[in-house]
Amino acid sequence: DYELCEEWGHLYPVPREDLINLHREHLLHLLEMGDMEKALQLLQRIEDPGVCLAISEQSLDQHPNLAASHFLADYLTAHFYASLTTARQNEIQALYIGSKVLLTLPELSRVNYVHLSSRPLLMLEQLLMNMKVDWVALAVQTLHQLLAGQEIGFTIEDIDNLLSKYAEKALNFPFTLKEKRS
């Protein structure tokens, strides 16, 4: 049905907003089905870059599943980075990095942290508070690789400070040890 509507749009004048809505729904459908290749082909078929940008941003704002969010954040960064405001660039970069970190976690546990996908530093702190040390190690390794040379509102030093803070708390004893008396 989407392809028929797309063909119709080539033959007859369709208002820009309706065309954007059609392509957005088609894109979200393809992404929900997990067909990233067809989703990319759809975006490449759209001749007007303004329409393509609007479709991609609106789709991302609808908070699709993790893989779809990662795909859209990557696409927007690769093709429209210069067209975005600095705040939007940081938001999309954070979502891209957060979704990448989420993908390193065990699949069944991702649902507990998906709401933090656009806030990777907070996700790391939540993992630390939940004592998921092995997952934190993977997340930190991924963050170090992704943050090299990028600026998205936090740095590698912020990650190190967070780790130091929780390491200090782990060694802080709220009571004093008493000596044994015979």
Side-chain angles (χ1 to χ4, degrees):
D1 290 345
Y2 290 119
E3 291 169 4
L4 178 62
C5 289
E6 188 177 336
E7 287 179 32
W8 185 271
H10 290 297
L11 299 174
Y12 299 98
V14 176
R16 186 175 192 268
E17 283 305 310
D18 291 341
L19 195 60
I20 289 172
N21 290 338
L22 165 71
H23 286 306
R24 183 189 67 236
E25 292 304 318
H26 189 191
L27 179 62
L28 287 170
H29 171 73
L30 291 171
L31 292 173
E32 290 297 321
M33 300 299 291
D35 198 342
M36 305 305 176
E37 188 173 320
K38 281 191 177 180
L40 183 60
Q41 290 170 0
L42 169 66
L43 290 169
Q44 290 172 339
R45 278 197 310 268
I46 300 169
E47 295 171 3
D48 183 352
V51 170
C52 190
L53 173 61
I55 292 164
S56 303
E57 276 197 289
Q58 288 179 18
S59 297
L60 184 62
D61 290 340
Q62 295 217 346
H63 307 290
N65 65 36
L66 178 62
S69 293
H70 187 73
F71 171 84
L72 289 166
D74 187 36
Y75 184 82
L76 282 164
T77 301
H79 294 89
F80 297 107
Y81 193 76
S83 305
L84 303 169
T85 65
T86 304
R88 187 70 168 156
Q89 288 172 351
N90 289 343
E91 180 185 327
I92 290 171
Q93 283 283 66
L95 182 63
Y96 174 78
I97 289 173
S99 61
K100 192 79 164 176
V101 169
L102 268 174
L103 290 171
T104 66
L105 302 180
E107 192 170 340
L108 295 174
S109 300
R110 291 177 191 160
V111 70
N112 298 327
Y113 302 96
V114 73
H115 64 285
L116 299 171
S117 61
S118 62
R119 304 192 56 203
L121 202 57
L122 192 57
M123 185 188 319
L124 184 61
E125 187 167 7
Q126 187 70 49
L127 289 169
L128 284 167
M129 288 191 296
N130 291 341
M131 304 293 288
K132 304 294 185 186
V133 180
D134 294 340
W135 299 356
V136 169
L138 283 172
V140 168
Q141 182 181 4
T142 302
L143 285 170
H144 275 272
Q145 291 170 356
L146 293 172
L147 285 177
Q150 293 190 28
E151 196 169 311
I152 61 160
F154 68 93
T155 62
I156 292 173
E157 288 79 30
D158 294 327
I159 295 169
D160 292 343
N161 290 337
L162 183 66
L163 293 172
S164 296
K165 176 180 149 185
Y166 278 88
E168 182 181 317
K169 286 183 179 198
L171 296 175
N172 188 12
F173 296 104
F175 57 89
T176 60
L177 297 173
K178 296 184 178 179
E179 292 182 26
K180 285 186 177 181
R181 293 186 179 169
S182 54

